[in-house]
Amino acid sequence: MRILVVSDIHANPTALAAVRERFDACLCLGDLVEYGPDPGPCVEWVRRYATACVRGNHDHGAVQ
């Protein structure tokens, strides 16, 4: 089983676009938002591909 682990994307969809390898499961360790200019595509990518995701401190701060 190939597991992809992503974290600290910080609204950088180019970083997620660089994932070219196949994976069976994706774990997201949070911090999808802040710093970068475009969090929407990052959130959508995680909704589509992540098997599980935890909220990072930047994600938590954004919803407070």
Side-chain angles (χ1 to χ4, degrees):
M1 175 179 260
R2 296 175 65 126
I3 299 173
L4 173 67
V5 179
V6 296
S7 70
D8 298 286
I9 300 302
H10 292 291
N12 181 358
T14 305
L16 291 174
V19 175
R20 303 257 190 247
E21 299 291 325
R22 290 184 167 207
F23 53 88
D24 299 309
C26 174
L27 304 177
C28 175
L29 304 182
D31 287 344
L32 295 173
V33 300
E34 297 203 348
Y35 302 136
D38 206 5
C42 297
V43 173
E44 289 303 317
W45 190 95
V46 168
R47 284 182 176 161
R48 183 173 179 185
Y49 294 109
T51 306
C53 186
V54 296
R55 181 168 42 178
N57 60 317
H58 289 267
D59 306 323
H60 181 77
V63 299
Q64 293 303 315

